[in-house]
């Protein structure tokens, strides 16, 4: 049994904690909060042991929250920590993990050169075996790596060009925007997302451009690939359909955008309306000899969740990539059927 704690119980951390308690080989030691807000209440309601920043104990106990201890105590009691604190804080916390000699996973907001290696289960599971500090790449890089890995394996990719149409903010971030704009983010080309994908797929020749738009729902990627070998649409659809973390969206389902996908997730009873899968529109896949075009949507709050679970098993050298991905997929309920 792997004793895991989650430091930073926000958008990503609360989802990862819920996935950990579903794993037969993991025990959730606790989650940390800095403030006694509604998320702290959710953690307590779910009976997750609550750990807090040293000195903040009274602000929690004063409003009726039972506090298990400090974050340092939580780390000390863990075999591994999933750090889901905001960008930059994970790097600061890595000093603490080193001090307690506990391996840790940080998230995509941390810099690539601040960790031993970056992680995506489908692309490079084995690279993280036995490492002390690993970064699960961002939601966008996770989605791109999942898509490109099987295509690279089958056809070889000469060049990938991806335009990222990014959600402006997460639903819980009312102070972020834009609310009436399309922002070139960044204005210069290419964007930093391509190099981030290369942190898990170093041999991919990829350029990315990114825009931010007024939605909180999901990201959309416009993908163009030049392959080394000729392909055809039927085989490309078959290849992608076999990937457990890719959901093929058919036009007959009447879903032409991200609002429809979120509605589907809620209709099938997904927790928090989460979509852990890349959603690739089958009818958008256009193949002409070695040129491929397609659209995919990525739920930014959800796709990195199974990756964090697999990263735990990779670091702890528990099992193979396939065994870990199968177990994660089965326990959380990956797959939307057709
Ligand atoms: P968030 O702000 O929703 O949650 C972060 C949590 O950490 C908050 O609850 C905050 O109170 C807590 N926290 C802050 N400082 C802390 C500290 N010193 N110790 C313990 N807890 C602390 O952030 P998020 O969106 O979950 O992002 C976390 C990481 O995941 C970032 O690196 C981000 O780039 C990455 N990420 C975010 C998304 C997304 O769309 N939200 C997707 C993929 C990756």
């Amino acid at each position: 049994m792997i004793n895991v704690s989650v430091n930073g119980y926000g958008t990503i951390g609360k989802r990862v904690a819920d996935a950990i308690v579903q794993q037969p080989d993991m025990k959730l030691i606790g989650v940390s909060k800095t403030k006694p807000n509604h998320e702290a209440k959710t953690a307590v309601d779910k009976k997750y042991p609550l750990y807090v920043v040293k000195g903040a104990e009274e602000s929690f106990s004063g409003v009726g929250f039972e506090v298990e201890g400090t974050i340092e105590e939580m780390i000390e009691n863990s075999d591994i920590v999933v750090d889901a604190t905001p960008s930059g804080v994970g790097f600061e916390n890595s000093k603490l993990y080193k001090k307690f000699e506990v391996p840790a996973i940080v998230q995509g907001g941390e810099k690539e050169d601040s960790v031993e290696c970056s992680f995506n289960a489908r692309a490079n599971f084995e690279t993280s075996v036995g490492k002390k500090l690993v970064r699960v790449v961002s939601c966008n890089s996770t989605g791109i790596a999942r898509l490109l890995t099987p295509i690279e394996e089958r056809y070889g990719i000469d060049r990938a060009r991806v335009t990222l149409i990014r959600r402006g903010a997460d639903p819980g971030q009312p102070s972020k925007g834009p609310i009436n704009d399309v922002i070139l983010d960044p204005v210069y080309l290419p964007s930093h997302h391509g190099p981030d994908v290369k942190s898990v797929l170093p041999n991919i020749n990829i350029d990315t451009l990114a825009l931010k738009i007024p939605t909180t729902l999901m990201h959309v990627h416009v993908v163009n690939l030049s392959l080394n070998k000729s392909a055809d649409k039927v085989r490309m659809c078959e290849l992608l359909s076999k990937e457990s973390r890719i959901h093929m969206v058919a036009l007959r389902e009447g879903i032409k955008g991200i609002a429809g996908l979120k509605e589907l997730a809620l209709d099938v009873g997904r927790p928090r309306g989460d979509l852990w899968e890349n959603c690739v529109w089958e009818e958008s896949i256009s193949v002409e000899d070695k040129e491929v075009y397609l659209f995919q949507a990525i739920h930014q709050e959800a796709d990195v969740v199974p990756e964090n679970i697999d990263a735990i098993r990779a670091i702890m050298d528990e099992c193979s990539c396939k065994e870990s991905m199968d177990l994660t997929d089965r326990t959380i309920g990956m797959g939307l059927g057709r």
Side-chain angles (χ1 to χ4, degrees):
M1 194 60 83
I2 312 171
N3 293 318
V4 194
S5 58
V6 175
N7 195 13
Y9 189 76
T11 307
I12 301 299
K14 62 189 175 188
R15 290 170 162 85
V16 172
D18 289 354
I20 290 168
V21 296
Q22 292 176 289
Q23 304 309 308
D25 55 345
M26 296 181 195
K27 182 177 175 200
L28 183 68
I29 291 298
V31 301
S32 76
K33 281 303 301 174
T34 51
K35 289 185 220 102
N37 65 1
H38 71 98
E39 284 166 332
K41 164 99 171 52
T42 307
V44 170
D45 289 348
K46 291 184 180 219
K47 307 213 177 327
Y48 297 166
L50 191 63
Y51 290 83
V52 303
V53 180
K54 214 180 204 161
E57 293 90 334
E58 268 181 31
S59 67
F60 284 82
S61 55
V63 290
F65 289 120
E66 198 179 312
V67 172
E68 217 49 49
T70 64
I71 292 177
E72 279 82 352
E73 287 164 340
M74 178 178 83
I75 297 167
E76 233 179 332
N77 293 335
S78 308
D79 298 326
I80 185 165
V81 181
V82 176
D83 184 299
T85 57
S87 306
V89 181
F91 172 67
E92 284 306 313
N93 286 343
S94 67
K95 297 165 193 163
L96 209 53
Y97 309 137
K98 199 170 174 187
K99 181 177 146 195
F100 288 106
E101 296 181 358
V102 175
I105 295 163
V106 294
Q107 306 303 314
E110 304 307 322
K111 293 199 170 75
E112 183 194 345
D113 61 8
S114 68
V115 296
E116 279 175 273
C117 65
S118 297
F119 181 89
N120 171 261
R122 188 64 181 79
N124 73 342
F125 183 93
E126 287 77 16
T127 314
S128 295
V129 172
K131 295 285 193 297
K132 292 284 184 209
L133 189 62
V134 169
R135 179 183 75 120
V136 169
V137 288
S138 75
C139 47
N140 280 306
S141 300
T142 294
I144 295 171
R146 273 183 193 164
L147 178 77
L148 298 193
T149 301
I151 300 177
E152 166 73 357
E153 286 168 359
R154 172 74 68 89
Y155 299 101
I157 295 171
D158 178 46
R159 189 157 187 188
R161 303 168 191 87
V162 183
T163 302
L164 298 95
I165 302 168
R166 298 175 50 216
R167 58 92 179 94
D170 288 339
Q173 295 174 317
S175 59
K176 278 195 171 181
I179 56 168
N180 186 22
D181 203 351
V182 174
I183 297 178
L184 316 179
D185 184 33
V187 173
Y188 56 81
L189 308 177
S191 73
H192 72 273
H193 303 90
D196 198 45
V197 173
K198 283 169 83 73
S199 71
V200 290
L201 282 173
N203 298 324
I204 290 284
N205 181 9
I206 180 168
D207 285 324
T208 50
L209 338 173
L211 312 159
K212 265 201 319 196
I213 61 162
T215 180
T216 61
L217 300 177
M218 295 176 83
H219 302 299
V220 172
H221 296 167
V222 185
V223 180
N224 169 221
L225 307 173
S226 301
L227 308 179
N228 293 331
K229 290 185 207 151
S230 300
D232 64 61
K233 177 166 175 156
V234 173
R235 288 205 180 89
M236 185 61 73
C237 289
E238 276 170 13
L239 177 72
L240 298 180
S241 302
K242 282 188 197 140
E243 293 294 313
S244 66
R245 295 182 185 177
I246 293 182
H247 171 65
M248 302 295 277
V249 186
L251 209 49
R252 65 178 158 69
E253 293 172 74
I255 297 174
K256 289 189 184 170
I258 54 178
L261 288 172
K262 290 293 288 179
E263 190 71 5
L264 169 69
L266 291 165
D267 284 351
V268 299
R270 280 290 175 86
R272 302 187 173 92
D274 280 354
L275 287 156
W276 303 295
E277 305 85 352
N278 290 24
C279 298
V280 175
W281 275 271
E282 188 169 332
E283 278 82 359
S284 77
I285 299 177
S286 144
V287 184
E288 219 180 300
D289 191 18
K290 295 178 183 170
E291 285 295 303
V292 180
Y293 285 91
L294 61 84
F295 289 124
Q296 70 169 359
I298 301 296
H299 185 201
Q300 74 281 356
E301 298 166 289
D303 73 334
V304 296
V305 173
E307 307 298 327
N308 272 275
I309 299 300
D310 294 326
I312 294 170
R313 292 199 189 93
I315 293 173
M316 304 306 283
D317 200 5
E318 275 291 298
C319 57
S320 70
C321 172
K322 183 168 179 349
E323 286 166 336
S324 180
M325 287 183 72
D326 285 352
L327 183 55
T328 306
D329 291 352
R330 205 168 58 245
T331 49
I332 67 173
M334 183 79 72
L336 289 154
R338 285 296 296 271

